Amino acid sequence: ASDASPYGARDMAGNVCEWCADWHDGRYYATSPSRDPTGSPAGDARVVRGGSYNYGADNLRVTLRGWYGPADRQPHVGFRPAMDVK
């Protein structure tokens, strides 16, 4: 469909920020692999990516990154279940 990304994903911006499995480490990307980095192996906060319905247009993009502690709850942070297509 025309509204899907090149990978077939839909609704990647403007819904909620997505909670990721990666631990946040502000220094990680200085030494990480340039292709498909897996994230820091440990930390105190999880990475969240993408914009949310309550963000301004300048922050409504899939490249936006932030972080929250594992016990933090925010109405604008969610997750996207995914599975491999066989």
Side-chain angles (χ1 to χ4, degrees), residues 53-75:
Y53 65 89
N54 67 346
Y55 284 21
D58 57 332
N59 284 320
L60 193 57
R61 59 189 197 279
V62 296
T63 57
L64 187 67
R65 274 196 324 240
W67 61 91
Y68 287 104
D72 292 343
R73 302 291 180 259
Q74 300 291 331

Side-chain angles (χ1 to χ4, degrees), residues 1-12 62:
S2 63
D3 57 345
S5 78
Y7 302 103
R10 300 176 189 272
D11 298 323
M12 294 299 291
V62 296

Side-chain angles (χ1 to χ4, degrees), residues 5-30:
S5 78
Y7 302 103
R10 300 176 189 272
D11 298 323
M12 294 299 291
N15 191 355
V16 294
C17 301
E18 293 185 23
W19 188 268
C20 300
D22 299 11
W23 288 104
H24 176 263
D25 179 349
R27 298 175 308 261
Y28 176 73
Y29 288 109

Side-chain angles (χ1 to χ4, degrees), residues 67-86:
W67 61 91
Y68 287 104
D72 292 343
R73 302 291 180 259
Q74 300 291 331
H76 63 275
V77 176
F79 63 93
R80 180 180 294 265
M83 61 183 260
D84 290 332
V85 177
K86 297 185 186 215

